[in-house]
Amino acid sequence: MFEGSIPSTGPVPLPAPSRSPSAASEVCTDRRGDIRIRIRCRGADSYAKVSYPQQYGIYAEIETAAAVMRFNPGGEIVHLQGKGRDWPHPQEWIKRTIGDDWVYYSTGGYSGVVEAIGEYYLPNTPYPTNSLLGGRPFEHAAVVRLLESWPSLLAAAAARLMPQAPAAIRDFLARAGGCDPTVLRQRAEQLFSIIGGRVTVLPPDARHVDYDLVPVHISEGCLYKCRFCRVKTERPYRDKEWSEIERQIADLRRWFGPNSVNYNSLFLGEHDALAADPDLIIAAIARAREVLGLAGSAMAGGNVFLFGSVDSLLHAPPRLFAELERLPCSVYINIGLESADQETLDKLGKPLSAARVVEAFHRMQEINGNFNRIEMTANFVMDELAAGHIPAMLQLLRDGVPRNRPKGSIYLSPLRVGRPSRSLVMDFYRLKTLSRLPTFLYIIQRL
Ligand code: SF4
């Protein structure tokens, strides 16, 4: 049992997040009829892999001659799409994350994006990442202009709409007007401070919910401090105290406020939550789901995402997986295997033996076979630092699995950053063809 036990009498009494999914949407247009606002719109209520723009959950929308702007229930902008002829593509848009990053969703010309990453849209981040695909949308004039001008577009639309808008729309416009870029940046900083720092990397499986998740850090640091890793923290690994986790969840509840209605998923941070005390893992999931009201989300279902490591996986007791399976949600655990070749592991500075990596891989297949709601996925580096890397990897992905399986995705991660490469993409497709597990490129995204 972990230090600082969980109160047996239930959680700190916080009111349930307020939700109004039954309230009908309301529409208003300005006198000239060329600016329209709709509040309490309902987007899709389950995440789907579709090749057209999809808005999820509850949102408000303002459409002008220049752009479509969408906002969460708290009035924060979350979606921008230009309407001018110079907008890069009519089916592409920009999404703002809770970490206040704008991510450009591109079709990638629809050429092999879904085969490469498992999604129809390619996320282009404004910070350097390891993506092998994509262009430079944040250098496109129309994108730059819209990112700079949306606050004035919003202010102009509000001025035109206010005189004839009903009270609920006037309230919303006032709320949105209060969420300017400075306020949004401060909100993101508050979020980082609640969880103890920015989430520098999200598990690749978070793609299944378009990276819409509530981060709860139940531990910090990681076990290995690998030399090659750019996202590690230097802090030694530790489980957080239960009191810290409880406080964090209560603060997150306040931070998300009315926006929690759109979330059904948790990310348990930081880099190796699977190494935490099993009781702590289960208790944190239950408490966060309850306090944040995730079971009553506008989004159907529920998910938990976390990272694990070779050692945390091999040390995890079987009862942990049995308890995770009983949760009313799907659980995705992503393990950084990196390589099954000793020379490559040594060059990466990952303090592990290849034999332990192989053992962990087989344990993952066992868990994937025994549990319906748990999916263990793994990362390997793509670069051939030593001649044995690809053969050792294929020995697992092809010879280590008796037949093709739809579960247990493998994510290949290039070490290079900011250098898209068609030839490496072709190498990836060759490996994907040989693998008996679903195999994708891992595009590292932060929160
Ligand atoms: S790869 Fe994982 S275990 Fe290694 S340093 Fe990075 S976060 Fe830590």
Side-chain angles (χ1 to χ4, degrees):
M1 188 64 173
F2 52 88
E3 294 294 312
S5 58
I6 311 165
S8 57
T9 49
V12 179
L14 279 170
S18 94
R19 303 175 190 289
S20 53
S22 55
S25 68
E26 227 173 308
V27 187
C28 173
T29 50
D30 75 321
R31 290 215 168 83
R32 293 214 303 255
D34 52 13
I35 299 177
R36 187 183 65 155
I37 180 170
R38 287 191 303 144
I39 61 169
R40 296 194 291 261
C41 308
R42 296 297 301 254
D45 67 359
S46 60
Y47 291 97
K49 306 206 184 292
V50 290
S51 57
Y52 51 85
Q54 180 70 277
Q55 187 72 45
Y56 297 109
I58 296 171
Y59 65 97
E61 179 181 281
I62 297 176
E63 183 168 2
T64 73
V68 175
M69 297 174 271
R70 291 187 183 147
F71 304 80
N72 62 23
E76 297 166 340
I77 192 146
V78 291
H79 169 112
L80 277 175
Q81 190 171 22
K83 288 175 65 183
R85 293 176 64 174
D86 58 348
W87 186 251
H89 190 289
Q91 299 274 64
E92 297 181 348
W93 72 98
I94 340 174
K95 171 181 172 174
R96 198 183 67 85
T97 70
I98 55 173
D100 199 35
D101 283 324
W102 287 100
V103 178
Y104 187 96
Y105 282 66
S106 74
T107 62
Y110 297 113
S111 56
V113 169
V114 72
E115 289 84 1
I117 64 169
E119 304 297 317
Y120 285 92
Y121 278 95
L122 181 68
N124 294 261
T125 61
Y127 47 86
T129 187
N130 61 345
S131 181
L132 293 176
L133 304 159
R136 298 176 187 275
F138 290 102
E139 292 175 9
H140 195 288
V143 175
V144 173
R145 196 169 59 243
L146 188 53
L147 284 173
E148 285 171 356
S149 65
W150 73 262
S152 51
L153 286 178
L154 168 62
R160 295 261 299 275
L161 290 162
M162 276 291 192
Q164 64 276 357
I169 288 181
R170 282 206 305 276
D171 285 353
F172 174 80
L173 287 169
R175 213 157 49 241
C179 297
D180 65 26
T182 307
V183 169
L184 295 174
R185 179 95 299 264
Q186 287 165 351
R187 286 260 301 147
E189 294 299 334
Q190 282 166 10
L191 174 68
F192 304 150
S193 146
I194 289 169
I195 60 175
R198 173 160 225 159
V199 178
T200 52
V201 55
L202 285 167
D205 310 303
R207 67 189 174 88
H208 297 309
V209 296
D210 201 21
Y211 302 88
D212 291 335
L213 30 77
V214 176
V216 179
H217 280 183
I218 63 167
S219 64
E220 61 183 30
C222 65
L223 302 181
Y224 304 139
K225 315 291 182 208
C226 315
R227 202 170 49 239
F228 80 99
C229 176
R230 291 189 185 85
V231 299
K232 62 179 173 276
T233 56
E234 292 308 328
R235 293 189 292 263
Y237 176 87
R238 76 167 181 110
D239 285 5
K240 293 210 176 212
E241 300 289 337
W242 177 248
S243 57
E244 290 177 87
I245 295 170
E246 265 197 321
R247 193 170 52 242
Q248 197 186 142
I249 292 171
D251 289 347
L252 285 166
R253 155 86 179 83
R254 281 182 277 273
W255 189 89
F256 276 90
N259 301 325
S260 66
V261 71
N262 285 338
Y263 292 83
N264 69 357
S265 300
L266 288 172
F267 165 60
L268 295 189
E270 192 182 22
H271 297 309
D272 193 351
L274 188 61
D277 183 309
D279 292 324
L280 184 71
I281 296 173
I282 299 293
I285 295 171
R287 179 62 58 89
R289 281 179 53 80
E290 180 171 6
V291 172
L292 285 142
L294 301 191
S297 166
M299 299 305 297
N303 306 280
V304 177
F305 301 93
L306 62 152
F307 285 115
S309 63
V310 166
D311 278 281
S312 64
L313 172 62
L314 294 177
H315 286 135
R319 76 172 171 89
L320 171 63
F321 300 101
E323 287 182 43
L324 288 172
E325 176 81 353
R326 282 198 289 274
L327 293 172
C329 48
S330 301
V331 180
Y332 294 87
I333 307 174
N334 178 253
I335 309 289
L337 297 180
E338 321 307 356
S339 181
D341 169 58
Q342 193 60 55
E343 193 181 350
T344 302
L345 289 169
D346 294 344
K347 285 191 171 169
L348 289 168
K350 192 157 189 107
L352 270 180
S353 73
R356 292 282 281 172
V357 172
V358 171
E359 190 184 347
F361 178 84
H362 291 301
R363 177 74 179 122
M364 291 170 60
Q365 305 318 310
E366 195 178 35
I367 294 167
N368 280 337
N370 289 346
F371 298 99
N372 290 324
R373 308 191 75 155
I374 304 174
E375 179 164 357
M376 305 286 314
T377 68
N379 306 331
F380 285 87
V381 296
M382 241 192 98
D383 311 58
E384 278 188 87
L385 298 178
H389 173 57
I390 300 293
M393 183 162 71
L394 286 176
Q395 204 164 7
L396 295 181
L397 305 188
R398 180 153 192 88
D399 308 328
V401 185
R403 60 187 177 284
N404 283 2
R405 286 193 177 148
K407 186 180 173 192
S409 292
I410 300 298
Y411 294 95
L412 302 186
S413 179
L415 293 173
R416 59 180 65 198
V417 162
R419 287 160 61 199
S421 161
R422 278 278 153 200
S423 75
L424 265 185
V425 172
M426 297 317 291
D427 291 346
F428 159 76
Y429 281 125
R430 275 191 286 276
L431 292 171
K432 182 181 173 83
T433 309
L434 294 169
S435 171
R436 289 198 161 126
L437 294 169
T439 299
F440 303 104
L441 287 171
Y442 181 5
I443 299 178
I444 291 177
Q445 282 199 58
R446 70 185 186 187
L447 195 60

